[in-house]
C-alpha cells in the first residue's frame, strides 16, 4: 500500500541506481531534493518536467553528494537555471571539483561537474513547496549528509541515513574514519523527531518509523560487532552498482574491474585479505545468493 503524502510533496521513486527525487510544489515556489545518477539524467529531466506540469524549477537541494543523488544536478541546473544548494561541508570540494574528495574516483562512479549557488547547514530552516523544513545533520553513511524534516506534516526526507530496511553503506569506516557511532546518533536524532512518514533515498515512502528504526539499530549492531561485515557489504553494493550501470560484466574481467575501483581495492587489502580472483568470485556469488544477479555462461548479469 503506498503511503499518502501531503499534496505539495511528490515522490519520484526510482530504481536503485538512481536515488529517489522529492518534488515540492507550493503556491509560490518549486523545489527538488536529489537528482539521481548521471546515466539517468535524461529520465530525471523528463520525470521532473512532467511532474512540474509547465512550472519551472526554482531550487534543487541535495541530501548528500553521492553520485546517485546528484548525477542530474548539472542537467537540471542547465535546463531550469534553478538555484542549487548543497551541504556546506562539501562546498570547497565541489567548487574545486575534487573528484577524489567527492568519492567519485574512489567508487568508480561518474558524476558530471555541477555548480552551486547556496549551501545548507544543520539548524537552517527553509520554505520549500510552501512548507517549512528543518535541515538536520545525518552523519554516518556520509559524514556531511543532511536530513530535511517538515514538522507540520511529520515528513522526513532521510536520504541514505534511514531506509525502510536498513541504511546506506557506512563509508567512513572503510577509510578508517569513525562511522558506527555517527549512524547510531543519527538514528537517535530521527527517533526524537516523531516523524509520521519517511521518504528514503531509495525505496518507497513508509510509515512505521519505529519498526524501521529498530531494524536499522539491529543492523548497526550486527555491522559494528564485526566491521568486516560493513566492508563486505560495501564490495557487494559497489559491484551491484556497477552491474546496474553496465547490465552485464564478463566474469573473467571481474577481478581486474574490481581492482580498478580504489575503494574496493583498499577494502580487499586492508579488511578482507583476499586475492583479487577470490574476492571477485566471492562478490559474484554473494550477489547471486541475494538474488541480485544471475550468471549466464561467462557473464554476470543484472536482474
Ligand atoms: Zn549515499
Amino acid at each position: 500500500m503506498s503511503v499518502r503524502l501531503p499534496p505539495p510533496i511528490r515522490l519520484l521513486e526510482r530504481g536503485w541506481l538512481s536515488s529517489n527525487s522529492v518534488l515540492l510544489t507550493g503556491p509560490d515556489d518549486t523545489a527538488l531534493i536529489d537528482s539521481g545518477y548521471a546515466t539517468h539524467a535524461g529520465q530525471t529531466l523528463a520525470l521532473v518536467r512532467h511532474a512540474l506540469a509547465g512550472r519551472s524549477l526554482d531550487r534543487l537541494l541535495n541530501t548528500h553528494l553521492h553520485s546517485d543523488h546528484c548525477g542530474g544536478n548539472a542537467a537540471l541546473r542547465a535546463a531550469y537555471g534553478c538555484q542549487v544548494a548543497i551541504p556546506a561541508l562539501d562546498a570547497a570540494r565541489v567548487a574545486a571539483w575534487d573528484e577524489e574528495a567527492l568519492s567519485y574516483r574512489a567508487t568508480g562512479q561518474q558524476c558530471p561537474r555541477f555548480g552551486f549557488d547556496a549551501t545548507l547547514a544543520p539548524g537552517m530552516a527553509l520554505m520549500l513547496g510552501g512548507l517549512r523544513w528543518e535541515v538536520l545533520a545525518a552523519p554516518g553513511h556520509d559524514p556531511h549528509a543532511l536530513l530535511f524534516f517538515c514538522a507540520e506534516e511529520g515528513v522526513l526526507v532521510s536520504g541514505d541515513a534511514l531506509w525502510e530496511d536498513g541504511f546506506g553503506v557506512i563509508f567512513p569506516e572503510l577509510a578508517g574514519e569513525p562511522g558506527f557511532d555517527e549512524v547510531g546518533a543519527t538514528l537517535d536524532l530521527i527517533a526524537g523527531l516523531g516523524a509520521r512518514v519517511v521518504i528514503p533515498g531509495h525505496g518507497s515512502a513508509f510509515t512505521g518509523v519505529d519498526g524501521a528504526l529498530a531494524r536499522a539499530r539491529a543492523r548497526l549492531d550486527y555491522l559494528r560487532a564485526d566491521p568486516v561485515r560493513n566492508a563486505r557489504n560495501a564490495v557487494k553494493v559497489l559491484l551491484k552498482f556497477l552491474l546496474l550501470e553496465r547490465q552485464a560484466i564478463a566474469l573473467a574481467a571481474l577481478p581486474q574491474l574490481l581492482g580498478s575501483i580504489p575503494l574496493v581495492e583498499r577494502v580487499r587489502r586492508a579488511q578482507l585479505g583476499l586475492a583479487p580472483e577470490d574476492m571477485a568470485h566471492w562478490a559474484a556469488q554473494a550477489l547471486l545468493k541475494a538474488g541480485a544477479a544471475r550468471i549466464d555462461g561467462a557473464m554476470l548479469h543484472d536482474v
Side-chain angles (χ1 to χ4, degrees):
M1 198 183 72
S2 70
V3 171
R4 195 192 62 80
L5 295 169
I9 307 176
R10 293 270 298 276
L11 168 56
L12 308 178
E13 191 180 339
R14 319 288 297 272
W16 280 68
L17 179 61
S18 276
S19 71
N20 293 332
S21 293
V22 184
L23 184 66
L24 306 163
T25 50
D28 303 319
D29 76 292
T30 61
L32 187 76
I33 301 175
D34 286 343
S35 64
Y37 190 61
T39 53
H40 287 172
Q43 185 194 60
T44 305
L45 278 177
L47 280 170
V48 170
R49 184 168 291 129
H50 179 75
L52 280 168
R55 296 182 69 177
S56 187
L57 182 67
D58 300 325
R59 299 174 84 173
L60 169 61
L61 306 90
N62 295 112
T63 57
H64 62 299
L65 298 184
H66 285 159
S67 64
D68 54 331
H69 290 254
C70 61
N73 278 22
L76 285 163
R77 195 170 188 247
Y80 291 104
C82 51
Q83 185 208 66
V84 173
I86 61 168
L89 292 173
D90 286 320
R93 46 183 66 171
V94 173
W97 202 250
D98 180 347
E99 293 199 304
E100 196 70 54
L102 285 167
S103 84
Y104 310 135
R105 191 158 299 149
T107 55
Q109 297 170 4
Q110 24 170 339
C111 184
R113 182 172 186 163
F114 59 86
F116 64 97
D117 311 280
T119 60
L120 302 165
M124 289 173 69
L126 309 167
M127 289 302 295
L128 304 170
L131 297 170
R132 184 178 186 278
W133 297 81
E134 296 164 41
V135 180
L136 303 161
H141 163 68
D142 176 277
H144 304 155
L146 301 170
L147 307 169
F148 300 100
F149 181 56
C150 175
E152 189 186 330
E153 297 286 354
V155 175
L156 174 69
V157 175
S158 64
D160 294 342
L162 179 68
W163 297 336
E164 188 163 16
D165 192 7
F167 43 75
V169 171
I170 307 173
F171 280 103
E173 288 283 340
L174 303 174
E177 309 278 333
F180 295 131
D181 288 350
E182 286 72 6
V183 169
T186 294
L187 295 176
D188 288 346
L189 176 92
I190 292 173
L193 297 175
R196 182 181 66 82
V197 180
V198 172
I199 304 178
H202 301 267
S204 303
F206 60 91
T207 55
V209 182
D210 289 347
L213 284 167
R215 285 188 293 277
R217 287 207 172 94
R219 173 95 181 138
L220 175 61
D221 290 345
Y222 171 80
L223 295 173
R224 198 205 300 259
D226 180 2
V228 170
R229 292 168 174 164
N230 183 51
R232 281 198 210 106
N233 184 45
V235 173
K236 273 165 62 179
V237 166
L238 289 166
L239 176 56
K240 175 64 179 176
F241 199 92
L242 267 184
L243 206 50
L244 280 165
E245 198 181 350
R246 302 180 183 206
Q247 293 299 305
I249 297 170
L251 287 166
L254 205 50
Q256 209 229 330
L257 183 62
L258 289 173
S260 72
I261 304 173
L263 186 62
V264 172
E265 184 60 7
R266 184 195 163 104
V267 162
R268 182 185 71 77
R269 287 166 183 270
Q271 289 179 279
L272 302 183
L274 292 170
E277 295 73 23
D278 294 340
M279 188 183 68
H281 179 76
W282 166 81
Q285 291 301 319
L287 289 194
L288 289 184
K289 235 164 93 185
R294 65 184 171 83
I295 286 179
D296 187 2
M299 302 294 286
L300 184 68
H301 290 267
D302 190 39
V303 290

